[in-house]
Structure formats: C-alpha cells, structure tokens
C-alpha cells in the first residue's frame, strides 16, 4: 500500500535525535577534557600539519597523519597531547580542513569549501569526474567530461584560434579564473581517449550529479 510507504519515508526525516553538543567532560580523561574546554586557536598549514596556539601562549605544530606534536607532553612524555586531540576534534567538527584539503572559494558554486590541497579550487559537489555527462550552457549540447585541469581559462590557449579559453568569444560571460575542463563529444569517434578534446571554462558546463557513462 503506497500510503504506508509514504508514512515510512516521512518518519525518516522526522524530529532529530536528542544529543549533547559537547561530550560530558567529567567523564573524559584530563587531556581530552582540556582539548575540548581550553581556549586554543587552530590553523591548518599544509600536508596535514596544523598550528595550535595554546592557552599558555605557546604555538605548537601538530602533524595529524603522523599523530605527532612538538609540545613537551608529546615529545618528552610520549602522550597523545591536548593539541593533537584538539585538532582531531576541530577536523571532525568541520571547523578546519582535514589533511589534504584547504579552505577556498569553489570556482564552481563560489561557496567556501574544503577543496583538495593541490589542483583547482573545486568542491566535491562541483567537481566534474571523467565520464560525467554535462550540458554546454551556450549551445545546449551534451558533452562528456575528460578531466578537470590545473589551468585557468586565462592560461589555456585554444589551438588554432590564437587566443585563450577566456578570450574565446563564446566564453565572454564566464570568469577568467575558471578552471579548464577538457570534454569530448559523445558521438565523436569510438575510443574515449582518442577523441578530440575541447577546453571549456568550468561554469560553462552544467554537470548534473550523474553516474559516469564512459
Ligand atoms: Zn601537543
Ligand atoms: Zn562548488
């Protein structure tokens, strides 16, 4: 009966479960409690490293993937110190980027996001994957994504046109700093990797979150 299916679906999205926002620090070991409650400032550096300004005024460097910190507690006592724990908490809470990511404005949706540390600033939702179908906003044509490149539209030359992708007449309304996406046409020859690639500014493509087809 379709009626009961509806009832099931709506109960999934009903009132959220009750839960505390922070753990009960009375039940935590001292270092964890201090990680939650002491005033500290965490900044992400690169390669999974974070600078932590501690309550004492000292700044320590945490290397999260190695589980390391250069504070005395970690260095001399070998403890999992409050700085390491604080960084792990802030990563889990989404306050600082996880290792391998940095905070930047996504070139697609123009919202702040944790984008890959290397390569163009594109969030996971906007990142075109090889084989995704996309629609050319100028012509309505369906194209297939080859790859997202490290070049911007202002850096990439159009072969034979003596201009860049940004200067190309049909691309006038897209940002010069858009990352370039190489696409192929679905009907253009049998072998994906042998098809001619065309360079598009990212925002000229409408990419529905679709299952790869190629
Ligand atoms: Zn430490
Ligand atoms: Zn985005």
């Amino acid at each position: 009966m379709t009626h009961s299916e509806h009832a099931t679906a709506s109960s999934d999205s009903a009132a959220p479960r009750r839960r505390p926002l922070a753990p009960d620090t009375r039940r935590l070991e001292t270092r964890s409690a201090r990680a939650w409650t002491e005033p500290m400032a965490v900044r992400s550096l690169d390669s999974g490293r974070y600078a932590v300004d501690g309550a004492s005024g000292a700044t320590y460097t945490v290397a999260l993937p190695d589980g390391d910190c250069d504070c005395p507690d970690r260095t001399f006592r070998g403890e999992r110190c409050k700085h390491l724990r604080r960084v792990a908490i802030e990563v889990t809470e989404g306050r600082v980027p996880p290792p391998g990511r940095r905070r930047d404005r996504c070139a697609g949706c123009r919202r702040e996001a944790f984008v890959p540390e290397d390569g163009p600033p594109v969030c996971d939702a906007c990142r075109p994957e090889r084989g995704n179908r996309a629609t050319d906003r100028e012509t309505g044509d369906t194209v297939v994504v080859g790859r997202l490149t490290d070049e911007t539209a202002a850096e990439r030359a159009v072969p034979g046109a003596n201009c860049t992708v940004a200067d190309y007449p049909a691309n006038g309304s897209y940002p010069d700093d858009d990352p370039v996406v190489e696409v192929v046409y679905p009907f253009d020859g049998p072998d994906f990797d042998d098809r001619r690639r065309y360079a598009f500014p990212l925002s000229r493509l409408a990419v529905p979150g679709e299952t790869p087809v190629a």
Side-chain angles (χ1 to χ4, degrees), residues 60-62 69-74 81-84:
Y60 299 108
T61 305
V62 164
C69 178
D70 59 3
C71 75
D73 196 30
R74 180 71 188 160
C81 63
K82 61 187 179 185
H83 314 107
L84 258 168

Side-chain angles (χ1 to χ4, degrees), residues 7 24 32 42 70 72 75 88 94 102 115 117 121-122 133 157 163 166 185 214:
D24 181 352
S32 284
V42 177
D70 59 3
T75 307
R102 62 189 163 88
V115 303
E117 199 164 271
V122 180
R133 281 182 189 278
C163 71
Y185 284 91

Side-chain angles (χ1 to χ4, degrees), residues 118-121 127 147-153 155-156 178-180:
D118 301 315
R127 179 162 291 265
R147 71 182 183 108
L148 175 66
T149 73
D150 287 341
E151 289 170 297
T152 65
E155 291 166 346
R156 175 71 169 255
D178 252 23
V180 164

Side-chain angles (χ1 to χ4, degrees), residues 175-194:
D176 289 359
D177 63 353
D178 252 23
V180 164
V181 182
E182 292 176 357
V183 307
V184 300
Y185 284 91
F187 48 80
D188 196 10
D191 237 358
F192 193 86
D193 287 309
D194 294 337

